[in-house]
């Protein structure tokens, strides 16, 4: 298996070289179809030369990092398996406690800790990169605090996954995937319910809008959609980023429409109202529930396929992998690789559905505000603030973009016929 690990790393380096070559030597991110030159989507019409240069540079680097890191987790977990480190974690856990729960807790901690330490320098590089391009404003202390919060949240969720899944495998080796999916339904809904009030406040402070004049305008807009006032929140993101954003989170009485304070400070009132109308659309059209339903449907098929691959891999290579049985906790890295790979493979489908919902929200927002100019300006400012690529490569769009590209959004709005109120 050491030989396997070497070939694994060799293959990854070849892949990495091809990725870098494609984005640096072949792909031209500055290319815009001639038909769109001079339009609202042409970055030359709303960006200066320095902003254009930074956007092209930053976009290329971000694309490279994404395509390098996506399989890196797979390589990491497969290496941990192939060199016997996962089996070693299991031995440490079994020698530390005779109780199954604590054995799993100890094993998951070691797996999480080693992964965290290996990935921390990479995360730090991306943080420094974002800071060097003026996107991140976070201090090292704030960044490190978020990293530690991520670690412990990931640890808790991974431990819950390990406890539930391996118990189900022990009870039913053939249909554990289905029972795991059944359990995931209430868990997913519960997680969405508590996220705005428990998880999100761990990272940032949330409070009602400070600008009372703007608050009145937003509440008037929200009332047209029958949204209660308490669903509009502001979050202090300026201590972490210069980017702009707004989003909808949570379900039921805990659902919230959230605006970053950077959005409020850098956009005019009419631009903020368009952004708010877009987020209101998600609430009115129940896109969160549609997203949950789509996730559960995809995960049903994904878990079925994962179970087939997992069961076959263990039964075929259990000696080589140093795994004692299907419900051996040491096989957790293999399960994570399979789930991660299938999630990545399904991303074109899930991203496409997400882009459809976002486009639907754009249509709702422009019909609600009747202000095309504000809509165009808001998207242009979002592009500048995030150094976002207007027309990314197709492979980037399909694998990364949960929203329509800025080219698609700006051209759509520019050509959209708004029926003015009489």
């Amino acid at each position: 298996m050491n030989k396997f690990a070497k070939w694994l790393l060799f293959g990854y380096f070849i892949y990495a070289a091809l990725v870098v070559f494609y984005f640096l030597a072949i792909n031209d991110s500055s290319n815009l179809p001639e038909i769109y030159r001079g339009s609202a989507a042409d970055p030359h019409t709303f960006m200066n030369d320095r902003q254009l240069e930074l956007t092209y540079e930053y976009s290329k680097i971000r694309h490279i990092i994404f395509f390098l890191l996506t399989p890196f987790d797979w390589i990491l977990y497969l290496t941990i398996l192939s060199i016997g480190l996962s089996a070693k974690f299991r031995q440490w856990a079994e020698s530390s406690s005779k109780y199954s729960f604590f054995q799993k807790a100890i094993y998951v901690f070691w797996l999480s800790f080693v992964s965290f330490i290996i990935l921390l320098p990479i995360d730090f590089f991306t943080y420094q990169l974002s800071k060097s391009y003026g996107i991140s404003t976070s201090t090292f202390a704030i960044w490190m605090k978020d990293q530690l919060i991520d670690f412990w949240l990931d640890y808790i969720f991974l431990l819950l996954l390990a406890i539930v899944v391996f118990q189900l495998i022990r009870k039913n080796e053939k249909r554990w995937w289905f029972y795991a999916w059944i359990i995931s339904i209430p868990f997913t809904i519960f997680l969405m319910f508590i996220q705005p009030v428990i998880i999100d406040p761990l990272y940032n402070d949330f409070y009602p809008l400070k600008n009372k004049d703007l608050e009145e305008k937003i509440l008037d807009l929200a009332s047209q959609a029958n949204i209660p006032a308490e669903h509009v929140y502001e979050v202090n993101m300026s201590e972490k980023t210069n980017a702009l954003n707004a989003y909808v989170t949570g379900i039921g009485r805990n659902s919230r429409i959230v605006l970053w304070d950077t959005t409020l400070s850098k956009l005019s009132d009419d631009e903020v109202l368009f952004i708010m109308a877009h987020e209101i659309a998600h609430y009115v059209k129940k896109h969160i529930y549609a997203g949950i339903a789509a996730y559960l449907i995809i995960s049903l098929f994904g878990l079925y396929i994962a179970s087939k691959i997992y069961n076959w891999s263990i039964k075929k290579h259990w000696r080589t992998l140093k795994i004692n049985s299907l419900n051996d906790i040491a096989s957790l890295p293999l399960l994570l690789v399979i789930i991660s790979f299938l999630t990545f493979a399904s991303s074109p489908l899930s991203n496409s559905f997400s882009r459809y919902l976002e486009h639907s929200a754009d249509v709702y927002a422009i019909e609600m505000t009747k202000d095309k100019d504000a809509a165009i300006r808001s998207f242009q400012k979002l592009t500048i603030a995030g150094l976002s690529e207007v027309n990314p490569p197709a492979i980037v769009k399909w694998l990364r973009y949960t929203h329509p590209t800025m080219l698609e959004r700006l051209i759509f709005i520019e050509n959209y016929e708004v029926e003015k109120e009489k």
Side-chain angles (χ1 to χ4, degrees):
M1 286 304 290
N2 285 333
K3 185 177 180 180
F4 170 77
K6 291 177 182 178
W7 277 108
L8 200 64
L9 293 175
F10 177 74
Y12 177 74
F13 286 128
I14 296 297
Y15 163 80
L18 292 174
V19 168
V20 173
F21 177 74
Y22 171 75
F23 284 108
L24 294 185
I26 298 179
N27 175 62
D28 182 9
S29 60
S30 64
N31 185 38
L32 187 73
E34 187 66 33
I35 190 175
Y36 300 124
R37 296 193 182 279
S39 68
D42 186 349
H44 291 86
T45 65
F46 60 89
M47 284 185 174
N48 59 43
D49 291 342
R50 181 57 177 164
Q51 289 169 337
L52 286 168
E53 180 184 1
L54 291 175
T55 298
Y56 298 147
E57 289 179 3
Y58 189 53
S59 296
K60 284 179 178 290
I61 297 173
R62 283 197 303 172
H63 297 334
I64 290 172
I65 290 174
F66 170 79
F67 282 98
L68 292 186
L69 288 186
T70 296
F72 187 83
D73 283 348
W74 311 338
I75 302 296
L76 173 60
Y77 285 131
L78 288 175
T79 301
I80 288 175
L81 264 176
S82 66
I83 64 176
L85 193 54
S86 183
K88 184 66 70 175
F89 293 157
R90 181 193 60 212
Q91 293 175 12
W92 293 348
E94 290 175 347
S95 64
S96 300
S97 176
K98 63 179 180 179
Y99 298 104
S100 175
F101 171 81
F102 291 110
Q103 289 175 358
K104 288 182 173 64
I106 293 169
Y107 173 89
V108 172
F109 174 80
W110 279 112
L111 180 64
S112 300
F113 179 74
V114 169
S115 302
F116 176 77
I117 294 300
I118 293 174
L119 292 172
L120 188 61
I122 300 174
D123 293 335
F124 180 72
F125 170 77
T126 58
Y127 156 68
Q128 288 287 13
L129 176 70
S130 178
K131 199 163 187 177
S132 67
Y133 277 88
I135 304 299
S136 175
T137 60
S138 179
T139 64
F140 175 78
I142 293 176
W143 175 81
M144 195 64 213
K145 172 195 167 189
D146 287 348
Q147 294 294 308
L148 293 174
I149 292 174
D150 285 344
F151 171 80
W152 286 111
L153 286 177
D154 290 344
Y155 170 74
I156 291 171
F157 293 138
L158 187 56
L159 177 59
L160 290 174
L161 173 71
I163 292 172
V164 172
V165 169
F166 286 110
Q167 180 65 16
L168 292 175
I169 293 175
R170 190 176 70 84
K171 294 289 186 180
N172 193 320
E173 293 184 355
K174 291 185 177 180
R175 295 184 177 169
W176 64 265
W177 62 273
F178 180 72
Y179 299 119
W181 180 76
I182 293 294
I183 293 173
S184 75
I185 297 175
F187 179 77
T188 299
I189 295 173
F190 174 72
L191 193 62
M192 292 293 295
F193 185 78
I194 68 169
Q195 180 178 333
V197 294
I198 295 179
I199 298 177
D200 289 348
L202 294 174
Y203 295 91
N204 298 98
D205 296 325
F206 293 77
Y207 38 78
L209 290 175
K210 296 177 181 178
N211 186 330
K212 296 306 177 183
D213 292 335
L214 179 59
E215 180 183 43
E216 186 176 347
K217 296 176 184 178
I218 292 176
L219 292 180
D220 179 63
L221 200 66
S223 66
Q224 297 177 38
N226 298 317
I227 296 178
E230 61 265 27
H231 286 217
V232 181
Y233 288 84
E234 178 180 350
V235 56
N236 65 327
M237 288 298 297
S238 55
E239 67 176 10
K240 295 182 178 181
T241 182
N242 283 317
L244 314 181
N245 196 19
Y247 61 90
V248 178
T249 186
I251 58 175
R253 62 184 178 85
N254 282 353
S255 58
R256 290 181 176 182
I257 297 175
V258 179
L259 286 162
W260 289 8
D261 59 348
T262 52
T263 303
L264 294 166
S265 65
K266 295 181 181 180
L267 299 187
S268 62
D269 285 5
D270 55 347
E271 293 161 0
V272 170
L273 290 176
F274 172 78
I275 299 296
M276 275 300 306
H278 174 97
E279 301 308 324
I280 285 172
H282 289 309
Y283 183 91
V284 171
K285 292 176 174 287
K286 304 187 185 304
H287 286 170
I288 291 179
Y289 298 97
I292 292 175
Y295 164 77
L296 291 174
I297 292 172
I298 292 174
S299 65
L300 174 62
F301 292 100
L303 281 172
Y304 171 74
I305 296 172
S307 71
K308 294 299 183 182
I309 298 174
Y310 175 78
N311 290 8
W312 175 85
S313 300
I314 300 298
K315 290 179 179 179
K316 182 91 172 168
H317 303 288
W318 66 274
R319 279 196 177 92
T320 309
L321 295 172
K322 299 180 178 63
I323 294 173
N324 298 327
S325 63
L326 285 173
N327 67 317
D328 185 351
I329 188 66
S331 65
L332 180 58
L334 175 63
L335 186 61
L336 293 176
V337 169
I338 295 171
I339 292 175
S340 176
F341 176 78
L342 292 176
T343 300
F344 174 76
S346 67
S347 60
L349 177 62
S350 58
N351 288 347
S352 179
F353 180 67
S354 177
R355 289 194 299 271
Y356 167 78
L357 297 183
E358 294 297 336
H359 175 70
S360 172
D362 285 346
V363 174
Y364 182 96
I366 197 64
E367 283 293 332
M368 188 179 208
T369 60
K370 310 290 185 183
D371 193 342
K372 288 174 58 173
D373 291 339
I376 289 172
R377 292 196 309 271
S378 65
F379 282 142
Q380 289 175 339
K381 290 182 179 180
L382 284 168
T383 303
I384 295 171
L387 296 181
S388 302
E389 198 171 13
V390 170
N391 186 33
I395 190 172
V396 173
K397 171 186 171 181
W398 286 103
L399 294 176
R400 295 195 64 191
Y401 275 51
T402 57
H403 291 61
T405 66
M406 281 302 177
L407 174 65
E408 294 168 334
R409 303 180 91 171
L410 286 166
I411 291 299
F412 168 76
I413 291 176
E414 187 176 41
N415 295 326
Y416 192 78
E417 294 294 331
V418 176
E419 185 179 344
K420 298 289 185 181
E421 295 179 351
K422 297 180 179 179

